[in-house]
């Protein structure tokens, strides 16, 4: 059975997170290699950061968890400018995926328009 997760992130939210005093919060949400993938010409690109955050939230929604914090560091998004994003799960997110019945690769798509980044995640689950 297919399952889909969707998320939308205001790019202005990411603009706040790339400020130097907010970097500890961003580092809690994105891995160092993800932060590097969001860097353009030596500066963090808020649009790219918003896209990565939207992808992580959309993937988490596939697990149908409520009242549980997003396992930010255990969801890894491989991608960057001009590359299709790929999601890798480990630790808590892999456990949640297994418990939710995820039985196939998770496909993601992200788009940016105006003030928003939107991501969709899809997978097949066992019923």
């Amino acid at each position: 059975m297919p399952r889909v997760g969707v998320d939308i992130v205001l790019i202005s939210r990411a603009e706040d997170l790339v400020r130097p005093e907010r970097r500890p919060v961003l580092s809690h949400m994105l891995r160092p290699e993800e932060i590097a993938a969001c860097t353009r010409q030596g500066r963090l690109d808020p649009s790219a950061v918003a896209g990565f955050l939207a992808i992580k939230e959309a993937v988490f929604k596939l697990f149908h968890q409520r009242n549980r914090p997003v396992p930010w560091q255990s969801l890894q998004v491989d991608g960057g400018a001009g590359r299709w994003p790929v999601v890798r799960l480990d630790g808590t997110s892999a456990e949640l995926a297994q418990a939710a019945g995820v039985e196939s690769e998770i496909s993601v798509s992200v788009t940016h328009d105006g003030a928003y980044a939107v991501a969709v995640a899809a997978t097949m689950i066992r019923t």
Side-chain angles (χ1 to χ4, degrees), residues 78-93:
D78 290 335
R83 292 181 33 219
W84 200 264
V86 175
V87 172
R88 301 191 197 295
L89 307 177
D90 61 37
T92 303
S93 65

Side-chain angles (χ1 to χ4, degrees), residues 1-2 62 89 97 101-107 122-126:
M1 173 173 172
L62 296 174
L89 307 177
V102 172
E103 60 182 22
S104 67
E105 180 178 300
I106 296 172
S107 297
T123 193
M124 295 298 290
I125 61 160
R126 64 181 174 276

Side-chain angles (χ1 to χ4, degrees), residues 38-85:
C38 292
T39 301
R40 311 284 187 273
Q41 299 175 346
R43 299 181 65 185
L44 271 171
D45 177 8
S47 179
V49 169
F52 273 59
L53 296 176
I55 289 169
K56 287 188 174 205
E57 289 271 9
V59 169
F60 185 66
K61 289 174 181 172
L62 296 174
F63 307 152
H64 282 201
Q65 294 292 312
R66 293 184 192 265
N67 303 318
R68 195 159 178 176
V70 175
W72 294 104
Q73 293 292 320
S74 67
L75 288 168
Q76 180 176 344
V77 179
D78 290 335
R83 292 181 33 219
W84 200 264

Side-chain angles (χ1 to χ4, degrees), residues 98-118:
Q98 183 176 12
V102 172
E103 60 182 22
S104 67
E105 180 178 300
I106 296 172
S107 297
V108 295
S109 181
V110 64
T111 190
H112 302 79
D113 189 21
Y116 301 96
V118 178

Side-chain angles (χ1 to χ4, degrees), residues 27-40:
S27 294
H28 172 73
M29 301 167 98
L30 298 181
R31 293 176 175 204
E33 56 272 22
E34 293 169 325
I35 290 173
C38 292
T39 301
R40 311 284 187 273

